[in-house]
């Protein structure tokens, strides 16, 4: 197979991406945000709604983040031209009237303590990333650590379904086999279907907590945001790793800890404890792999049977709409990178092992 967008330093998938924490944007405040190479101004209007617009005024190019929020709209600092939440020019003070101008606005949403921006066609094609198990539930969330990686978000994402590395890096004493299910064009899940670990005292100790396999599910959205569900049958932890592409094909990530909302003061206090424990679980997943992603030069030349889920993820990314860093236009790759699917038979030394 040939890849068009996967792991290309100037390519990413059209979808929802985190812009900044909700708590960092107060009512009637505007902030500059550079997202996937594009400069934006994001403001919260008098109604409390977050609005994202292209950053520069069409008059003389002043940055809107220098301006002021005026009711539901935004005024440019330089000459006080006002634009409404749809980007329409509605006031030019020196003329005493509006001009037929419009700046580009982008769909926004808020969930998990984050402001998200839809990067793609005019109308969002799919929902915000969510944990499949909590699809219909209200959630509490807590922002965890923010991090940088020296490789593409697509490569960071495959770590969670790299079955063999759980043995070599994390020393888990059992084989992991993933079952794939596509939720929609932009979301795919991988769930383990194995038990194993009978020789491990730790697995024997926790085995009574599990009726079947040890619960581990990874759900990917837009090739760059992933949710992990892990835990015993009676209690699951939920972690979101929201990534976005940086310049030169690198990654900026935000960990988000998620729990099903519980009612009352007792429920709120209980969830504080749950989210604190979730943070410990998230730190465990991050531990041990950090150095790899600072030096890796990903090139899957020799995929094995254990890499089947990785190849499936690559194929899933390739089936989505690719956009270009900075312009957000349809991505046209300068060249293709060949990655072959895993071979399940005896192969020659030059083939998949």
């Amino acid at each position: 197979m040939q890849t068009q967008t996967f792991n290309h330093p100037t390519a990413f998938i059209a979808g929802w991406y985190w812009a900044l924490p909700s708590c960092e944007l107060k009512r009637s405040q505007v902030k500059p945000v550079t997202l996937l190479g594009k400069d934006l101004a994001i403001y919260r209007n008098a109604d409390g709604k977050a609005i994202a617009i292209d950053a520069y005024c069409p008059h003389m190019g002043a940055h809107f983040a220098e301006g002021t929020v005026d009711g539901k709209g935004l005024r440019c600092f330089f000459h006080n031209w006002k634009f409404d939440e749809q980007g329409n020019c509605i006031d030019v003070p020196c003329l005493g009237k509006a001009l037929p101008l419009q700046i580009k606005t982008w769909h926004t949403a808020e969930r998990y303590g984050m402001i998200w921006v839809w990067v793609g066609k005019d109308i969002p094609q799919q929902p915000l990333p969510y944990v499949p198990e909590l699809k219909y539930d209200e959630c509490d969330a807590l922002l965890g650590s923010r991090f940088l990686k020296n490789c593409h978000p697509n490569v960071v994402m495959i770590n969670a379904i790299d079955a063999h590395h759980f043995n070599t890096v994390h020393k888990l004493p059992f084989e992991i086999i993933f079952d794939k299910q596509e939720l929609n064009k932009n979301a795919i899940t991988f769930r383990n279907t194995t038990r194993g670990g009978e020789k491990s005292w730790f697995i024997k100790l926790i085995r009574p907590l599990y009726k079947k396999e040890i619960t581990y599910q990874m759900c990917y959205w837009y090739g760059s945001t992933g949710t992990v569900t892990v835990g015993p049958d009676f209690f699951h932890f939920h972690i979101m790793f929201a990534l976005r592409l940086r310049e030169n094909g690198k990654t900026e990530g935000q960990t988000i800890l998620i729990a099903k909302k519980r009612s009352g003061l007792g429920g709120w206090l209980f969830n504080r404890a749950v989210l604190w424990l979730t943070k410990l679980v998230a730190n465990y997943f991050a531990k041990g792999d950090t150095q790899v992603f600072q030096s890796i030069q990903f090139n899957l030349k020799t995929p094995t049977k254990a890499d089947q889920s990785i190849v499936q993820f690559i194929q899933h990314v390739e089936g989505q709409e690719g956009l270009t860093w900075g312009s957000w236009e349809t991505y046209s790759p300068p060249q293709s990178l060949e990655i072959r699917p895993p071979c399940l038979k005896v192969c020659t030394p030059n083939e998949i092992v």
Side-chain angles (χ1 to χ4, degrees), residues 45-316:
N45 67 17
D47 291 340
K49 182 181 178 181
I51 310 294
I53 64 173
D54 281 350
Y56 301 104
C57 181
H59 179 211
M60 288 192 182
H63 200 299
F64 279 116
E66 302 292 332
T68 56
V69 179
D70 183 358
K72 294 184 179 181
L74 183 67
R75 285 192 182 274
C76 175
F77 168 78
F78 208 10
H79 299 99
N80 274 348
W81 289 25
K82 184 178 180 180
F83 296 82
D84 66 15
E85 54 190 331
Q86 284 78 43
N88 299 303
C89 176
I90 59 174
D91 183 34
V92 178
C94 68
L95 297 178
K97 63 179 182 178
L99 288 176
L101 297 173
Q102 185 179 45
I103 54 174
K104 177 66 177 177
T105 61
W106 303 90
H107 290 274
T108 63
E110 293 191 66
R111 196 177 186 191
Y112 312 121
M114 276 288 182
I115 297 172
W116 303 75
V117 174
W118 172 260
V119 179
K121 300 283 175 65
D122 288 341
I123 299 174
Q125 303 300 304
Q126 300 291 356
L128 285 171
Y130 62 80
V131 179
E133 192 173 284
L134 304 178
K135 179 178 180 180
Y136 300 106
D137 295 312
E138 287 190 63
C139 297
D140 283 335
L142 181 67
L143 299 185
S145 60
R146 190 176 295 187
F147 53 88
L148 302 175
K149 302 293 182 183
N150 199 35
C151 59
H152 196 283
N154 294 160
V155 175
V156 178
M157 284 283 95
I158 65 173
N159 185 60
I161 52 170
D162 183 350
H164 191 54
H165 105 284
F166 286 106
N167 307 133
T168 57
V169 176
H170 298 292
K171 311 301 180 185
L172 296 180
F174 52 87
E175 181 184 14
I176 295 179
I177 299 174
F178 289 109
D179 179 52
K180 170 185 73 80
Q181 179 184 4
E182 291 200 3
L183 300 183
N184 55 56
K185 180 182 178 181
N186 298 112
I188 187 171
T189 65
F190 293 89
R191 184 183 181 91
N192 72 300
T193 60
T194 48
R195 286 176 65 87
E198 283 73 15
K199 295 182 180 180
S200 167
W201 67 267
F202 176 71
I203 297 301
K204 289 180 180 179
L205 179 65
I206 67 173
R207 180 63 71 193
L209 302 177
Y210 300 84
K211 294 179 181 179
K212 298 180 180 180
E213 66 273 3
I214 295 175
T215 300
Y216 180 84
Q217 179 176 278
M218 189 75 196
C219 181
Y220 292 106
W221 291 87
Y222 312 109
S224 293
T225 294
T227 66
V228 178
T229 296
V230 63
D233 292 334
F234 66 89
F235 190 84
H236 290 165
F237 296 100
H238 307 288
I239 308 158
M240 179 178 287
F241 296 99
L243 312 183
R244 60 190 185 189
L245 185 67
R246 287 172 60 94
E247 195 171 8
N248 299 321
K250 304 188 188 308
T251 294
E252 181 178 10
Q254 172 70 60
T255 304
I256 305 174
L257 317 170
I258 302 171
K260 180 180 178 180
K261 195 176 188 65
R262 294 170 172 86
S263 61
L265 177 59
W268 184 88
L269 292 172
F270 181 79
N271 269 10
R272 297 311 101 184
V274 169
L275 293 172
W276 178 78
L277 290 172
T278 305
K279 183 176 181 179
L280 298 182
V281 175
N283 289 340
Y284 170 79
F285 275 100
K287 186 178 180 180
D289 301 324
T290 301
Q291 185 56 42
V292 171
F293 293 114
Q294 296 304 108
S295 58
I296 191 171
Q297 295 292 317
F298 183 83
N299 189 357
L300 188 57
K301 293 181 178 180
T302 54
T304 69
K305 182 179 179 180
D307 300 321
Q308 181 171 347
S309 57
I310 294 175
V311 175
Q312 290 171 333
F313 173 66
I314 294 173
Q315 293 170 333
H316 172 70

